[in-house]
Amino acid sequence: MMGNYFKTAFRSFKKNKGFTFLNITGLTIGLAVCLLIIFYVFDETSYDRYNSKGDRIYRVNSDTKINASITSSAIAAPKVAEALRLNFPEIENTVRLLSDEEVRFKKGEELVVEKNTLLCDPSIFDVFTLPMLEGDPSTALTEPNTIVITGRMAEKYFGTTHALGKILVRVSDGKTTNCKITGVIRELPVQSHFDADFLESMVGLPIASNQNLAAFFPFHTYLLLKPQADYKKLETKFPAFLRKYLDFIDAMEKQGDYIKLNLTPLYDIHLRSNRANELGANGNIQYIYIYSGIALFILLLACINFMNLSTAHAASRAKEVGIRKVLGSPRIGLVLQFISESVLMSFFAMLTAVLLAWALLPWFNQIAGKDLTITSSTFKWLLPAVTGITLIVGFLAGSYPAFFLSAFNPIKVLKGQTVAGFKGSRLRSLLVVFQFSISIFLIIGTLVVYNQLSYM
């Protein structure tokens, strides 16, 4: 049955080549832009999802008010990790990261500055998912002056990823340290809220063993909670925990000052955290909402454009509908016929849109500051998304023309009285007004944002 509808649709496309080309072109452009925005949104919302235990990882934050100075930081004192682990059984493990800035490593006689270097606890491999190419994650960073590097850095310094046991000379503050490579890991995914090519052991460092719970050192502290643990309930216990270790808390609060600890879920760090001392530049969930809204509006514009073109083309198909009705075609058959044409046209438009989006991706990356690529993993979500959008767009865009065309009175159609009623369609007028309103809104919004960025 549907095969006959699609055959009829093909014949209709061949008969109305200009209309078909114009409609598919409009849909293609709208769908291509929508796909590019979907690529961006998917990339932003997939940060840190590579961690197998990501739903149980939380970062400890510090909020302080001292005199008139209020600070919200993504860091905690060195002692916090150990103290929390000892006091709360719902915490399975902890790890601390400390950015090691302006580190230089020797490459032959050359000193190379490396920015993506972190000092960390040995437990980093128990908390985060960092697959090793060489080495034992359980012992890799348990000794002083040991280091784990990525395969890319192993190639850079030694010409091979087989760098286990080799020595990397570290130079910092005029001091030279021989670091033994105890592991080689894969590069961290781009969708990570921190980047690291070098993981140095902080075992034995005086700063790591500081016992002052109120000390200000930029340690990024992460908790791995046990399954079923509620981080909100854990947060409510933090005030009593701080009072246990800091006897001046009550005096501070009487003066209106405070020291507070709270948690941020790992998956919320990139889009919902904008604190001081972040490990990297984060995004903003508001932008995701705005871009998603723009994508939806553009898709609606494409659908409305399709509907308007189809209804405008209705007069040329009025006699076809009238003759079919006279020959006994039921209205449901005509509706299915027109919707099948719409779905088929949507399919061709989507196929072209995917190719267009793929071609425009390098240009889009330059504008968005991204490195988006279409890989085999992309197709896992792209194919279902494309199929769903194709069917939805085809049905939405074709539903009104289908019901509009199938409702023609065969007697009036054969007498040529359809066009007058068609021109007076209120719904079509509303669609045109809506289409132009959204277009003008998007154009004005784009110009305002462009002028603001130029001013900044």
Side-chain angles (χ1 to χ4, degrees), residues 388-415:
I389 292 174
T390 300
L391 294 175
I392 292 171
V393 168
F395 181 78
L396 288 180
S399 57
Y400 173 63
F403 286 101
F404 177 78
L405 289 169
S406 64
F408 285 171
N409 187 311
I411 298 176
K412 290 184 177 180
V413 165
L414 296 177
K415 287 183 177 180

Side-chain angles (χ1 to χ4, degrees), residues 107 143 150 154 180 222 262 285 449:
K107 183 184 178 185
E143 297 180 6
T150 61
K180 182 181 178 181
Y222 298 84
N262 57 69
I285 191 63
V449 171

Side-chain angles (χ1 to χ4, degrees), residues 145-156:
N145 301 327
T146 54
I147 189 170
V148 172
I149 65 177
T150 61
R152 181 176 64 237
M153 292 298 107
E155 288 275 5
K156 177 179 178 179

Side-chain angles (χ1 to χ4, degrees), residues 200-220:
E200 301 178 80
S201 173
M202 64 169 64
V203 173
L205 294 181
I207 189 175
S209 57
N210 188 291
Q211 297 298 304
N212 184 359
L213 203 67
F216 183 82
F217 292 120
F219 277 78
H220 293 82

Side-chain angles (χ1 to χ4, degrees), residues 39 43 358 361 365 370-378 381:
F39 287 150
D43 180 80
W358 176 73
L361 203 54
N365 282 334
K370 287 286 186 180
D371 189 22
L372 305 177
T373 55
I374 297 178
T375 62
S376 57
S377 60
T378 307
W381 63 266

Side-chain angles (χ1 to χ4, degrees), residues 26-35 37-38 291-307 346 350 353 385 388-390 392-394 396-397 434-435 438 442:
L27 265 180
T28 297
I29 295 173
L31 288 170
V33 174
C34 187
L35 280 176
I37 296 176
I38 289 174
Y291 297 152
S292 299
I294 290 173
L296 181 61
F297 280 132
I298 290 174
L299 192 59
L300 281 174
L301 287 177
C303 291
I304 291 171
N305 186 64
F306 181 96
M307 294 167 70
S346 177
M350 178 58 80
I389 292 174
T390 300
I392 292 171
V393 168
L396 288 180
F434 179 79
Q435 185 179 15
I438 295 300
L442 291 176

